[in-house]
Amino acid sequence: MSLSQIVKNASRSTLMAGALIGTLTLVGCAQHSQQTTLYERMGGQPAIDAVVENLLYRIADDEEVVSYFANSNIDLFAASLATQLCDVSDGPCQYDGPPMDRAHQTMGITDAHFNRVVEYLDAAMVEVGVPLAARNDMLGRLAPMYEDVMRLQ
């Protein structure tokens, strides 16, 4: 075997080994992310409860937004929201409250107020220490609900 053939074979083997290691790394990462739920990445129920509490304080400090909650049982709302966030994040909870279109029908929510609550939710997650990837995942999972919340406005 000539020197050039040995180098070609060695290069081919090195390339194949590198591709195999890369593939195994990607498979390992994919399996890890499949095994770790958003619920776990957020910090579980204690983090979700803290996010909801923090969000409610932010809403309470906003005179325009808090008016939407004037006739709400805040304790029931907090528990329902925590259950919904737990459910949406693949946690052990199952949200069985009203669908979003019915819960928000004729409230007159504006895009500005909706967006402000989303900003408050993100800020609450930041303050609680929810990692950026988990925050983005949660907001991405909640985003499709916009149509239902705003449907009958």
Side-chain angles (χ1 to χ4, degrees), residues 48-117:
I48 288 175
D49 290 341
V51 165
V52 169
E53 182 177 355
N54 189 297
L55 172 64
L56 292 179
Y57 280 117
R58 290 170 188 279
I59 289 171
D61 287 342
D62 186 320
E63 291 180 19
E64 290 180 27
V65 175
V66 76
S67 65
Y68 290 109
F69 297 86
N71 297 319
S72 298
N73 176 329
I74 297 301
D75 291 333
L76 180 62
F77 172 75
S80 181
L81 180 58
T83 299
Q84 186 174 35
L85 294 179
C86 173
D87 187 13
V88 166
S89 65
D90 301 322
C93 310
Q94 181 159 358
Y95 175 75
D96 59 1
M100 292 298 96
D101 58 347
R102 200 174 84 216
H104 297 90
Q105 67 187 359
T106 66
M107 288 179 70
I109 299 171
T110 67
D111 278 334
H113 293 133
F114 180 92
N115 291 336
R116 202 171 314 155
V117 171

Side-chain angles (χ1 to χ4, degrees), residues 135-146:
R135 292 192 329 259
N136 287 340
D137 194 356
M138 175 58 82
L139 293 173
R141 291 181 187 202
L142 294 172
M145 294 180 191
Y146 171 85

